[in-house]
Amino acid sequence: MNASDGAGVKLKRSIGTPEADYIDPFLMLDEFGSENKDDYIGGFPPHPHRGIETVTYMLNGEFEHEDSTGAKGRMSSGDVQWMKTGGGIIHSEMPEQESGLLKGFQLWVNLPKKHKMTTPHYQEFAADKITVEKRSDGGEIRVISGSTNNNATGAVVNNYVKPTYLHVTLPANASFEQNIAKADNTFIYMISGHLCIGDSTEKLDKNQLGILTEGTSVKVVTNTATSFLLVSAMPLNEPLARSGPFVMNSKAEIIQAYSDLQNNRF
Ligand code: CO
């Protein structure tokens, strides 16, 4: 699904759509960016959030972010920002470049009911601080959070939902396996190339989302060079009430969020 958000940033939304509304606890997955500056130059001007964690992973380009707690920073290719919005934050994310390729991902992870109103918190990691597992076939696994089967562990510390978030790059004719918990919800998002999951002969292509059925491991095989995100976590199984940037458990809490925003309580 092609969409536009912020002040007009071109993006492909694959979770948070009519076809894949909520893969508990994952609320949204956007691939943003373009080689054309007109598709991103507007950025994401100041906007609020409540009740979630947002995970930004830059593949190419430069972003500058700033928020209502006074935090400010810059993200470059390969960097990760894991932000717990908690009870409320107002932030902006603007491109720091006027030409060239800008590309990245934003994933929204829901927060459990009892932690939604906690204090905002950031974790930021430069590309060289991201764990990389080198494979003998020349491929690599960038571990944003969680662990690989060989115990390469990501730098992000998660105290609430504890997703496994891997960026896997494989050569042609490779196979890859990742253990997951049986209760987890798991998806694969294709960045480039194509692959088959398990014994299936059905191909998953670029920009496609594959939602996996219940199991204790994910196996994929490639016949071309392929890059994808593999993300997995235990569902929260809590009531969901959401409106734009606010994700709570009841309609009354959403109304409260708008009222708090209007009354400068963020
Ligand atoms: Co935001």
Side-chain angles (χ1 to χ4, degrees), residues 96-209:
E96 264 296 291
Q97 62 189 51
E98 297 197 336
S99 64
L101 179 63
L102 180 90
K103 186 179 162 99
F105 299 96
Q106 191 166 87
L107 175 71
W108 287 11
V109 183
N110 205 356
L111 276 170
K113 186 173 165 62
K114 65 171 187 246
H115 297 292
K116 281 192 180 289
M117 295 303 286
T118 49
T119 313
H121 177 70
Y122 280 96
Q123 297 181 70
E124 288 175 299
F125 299 96
D128 63 358
K129 297 286 184 286
I130 302 295
T131 303
V132 183
E133 180 182 314
K134 297 280 183 195
R135 289 167 50 93
S136 57
D137 62 10
E140 63 170 41
I141 308 168
R142 302 184 71 81
V143 189
I144 292 159
S145 64
S147 299
T148 68
N149 286 5
N150 298 313
N151 291 318
T153 299
V156 173
V157 177
N158 285 310
N159 297 314
Y160 310 100
V161 173
K162 295 173 178 157
T164 298
Y165 186 158
L166 309 177
H167 174 193
V168 183
T169 303
L170 300 174
N173 304 313
S175 64
F176 163 84
E177 187 168 352
Q178 172 69 24
N179 296 335
I180 50 171
K182 193 161 187 275
D184 278 8
N185 281 332
T186 306
F187 68 85
I188 282 178
Y189 179 78
M190 297 296 296
I191 301 171
S192 62
H194 52 250
L195 55 75
C196 294
I197 300 173
D199 300 325
S200 169
T201 51
E202 201 185 323
K203 272 184 189 152
L204 206 57
D205 281 314
K206 188 178 166 172
N207 299 136
Q208 281 186 328
L209 180 78

Side-chain angles (χ1 to χ4, degrees), residues 44 50 55 62 68 136 160 190 194 211-212 222 247 250 257:
F44 300 94
R50 173 176 281 182
V55 185
E62 306 264 333
S68 49
S136 57
Y160 310 100
M190 297 296 296
H194 52 250
I211 302 169
L212 278 71
T222 66
V247 183
S250 71

Side-chain angles (χ1 to χ4, degrees), residues 47 49 54 83 91 93 106:
H47 59 277
H49 288 291
T54 68
M83 176 175 77
H91 75 154
E93 297 152 296
Q106 191 166 87

